[in-house]
Amino acid sequence: MTALTNHITSLIRASGPLTLAEFMALCLQHPEHGYYTTRDPLGAAGDFTTAPEISQMFGELLGLCLAQSWLDAGAPAPFTLAELGPGRGTLMADILRATRAVPGFHAAAELLLIETSPALRARQAEALTGHSPTWANSFAPKAQPLFLVANEFFDALPIRQFIRDTGGWRERVVGLSEGALAFGLTEAAPLAALEHRLSDTAEGDIVTLSGHAEAVASEIGAHIATHGGTALIIDYGDWQPTGDSFQAVKAHEKVSPLESPGEADLTAHVDFAALARAAAPAAHSALTPQGVFLERLGITARAETLAQNLRDGALQNHIAAHRRLTHPEEMGSLFKVMALMPQGTHAPAGLDDDA
Ligand code: SAH
């Protein structure tokens, strides 16, 4: 049994079953044994790969999209260029390289990275040599315009899960069965926080509540409404999704979430409707599939330019990466993009205004 399994088991013995949110927070963020605290989980040798690790095109196009929004906002200076959960720093490095030629953008940008993992902070410092980022554990930017990206950040925040029943909602919890971690369900009870799900669900349907994600979205929304700016949120999920998307991934394979706490990545699909509601003083764009967004920003033209200098295996990899980011059967439709921006302004390039 791992140290973290022992710790979780004694917590449950002492005070009863944990919500999935409590379990996720311990597994991912425990200061000593947490998944993100102890390792760099990205890349082929790690547990999962993300869009910026697949191709430089992703970060380049996001960078140009953000820079265009900054120009459209009147090129405010100074401004905060922030990333939530920057992983290896690859996305920010690509954003900065692609925006070098945008007059004034780098000079006005103050780089802020929100990252809890010491291991990943070290990787980010390496990737961003020559820039001088500030790191923070939580979102609290200066009172100035904010241009922000968050790719595969919100899916890593703790969620609670509920199953609809005749008497209301039963919460999925982690308890013990014969000494081992096991899923359980609470008694059914009505829940005010899920009243908005009564019209689009039936008995047996599973929904999530993401208090952590909503708290972050609410702060971003309030900040953008007051100080201006744009946030680009990219993640797998949907508008008010239904179903069990809670999953654990280790070495690129799905495993049971209870099998090795602290050693597998735990995620759940993001509820973009909940983020949009929480960000309410700010406006939000229409939710757009990643493939559509990248095509509108010109990924195919960029892919062709890059292909001219590639041969053989490198060329095959590049073609596969383009497909992986955009094709509906790969990341193209599962992943979605939503922007937050001030009321009365238009959605950034590649995204439609909310209908
Ligand atoms: N955006 C990167 C990495 C995604 S992995 C990419 O696209 O490659 C998730 C990232 O969020 C990691 O950097 C992880 O350490 C960070 N993270 C997870 N939970 C966090 C939290 N509660 N607060 C701050 N950062 C967190």
Side-chain angles (χ1 to χ4, degrees), residues 222-307:
H223 189 98
I224 286 177
T226 308
H227 302 289
T230 304
L232 284 178
I233 301 171
I234 307 103
D235 226 308
Y236 45 8
D238 219 327
W239 195 259
Q240 217 156 275
T242 302
D244 176 17
S245 65
F246 180 54
Q247 66 169 27
V249 167
K250 193 174 170 180
H252 300 266
E253 300 285 342
K254 279 194 192 180
V255 295
S256 156
L258 303 184
E259 191 179 290
S260 36
E263 287 172 9
D265 185 37
L266 299 178
T267 59
H269 284 189
V270 170
D271 180 353
F272 283 93
L275 300 188
R277 259 196 319 274
H284 64 88
S285 72
L287 186 63
T288 304
Q290 173 174 299
V292 172
F293 174 69
L294 295 175
E295 288 299 350
R296 286 173 174 174
L297 292 177
I299 194 170
T300 299
R302 180 67 183 135
E304 282 164 4
T305 306
L306 288 171

Side-chain angles (χ1 to χ4, degrees), residues 30-48:
H30 185 279
E32 229 181 300
H33 308 297
Y35 179 75
Y36 281 114
T37 325
T38 52
R39 75 200 70 213
D40 167 5
L42 289 146
D47 293 311
F48 60 94

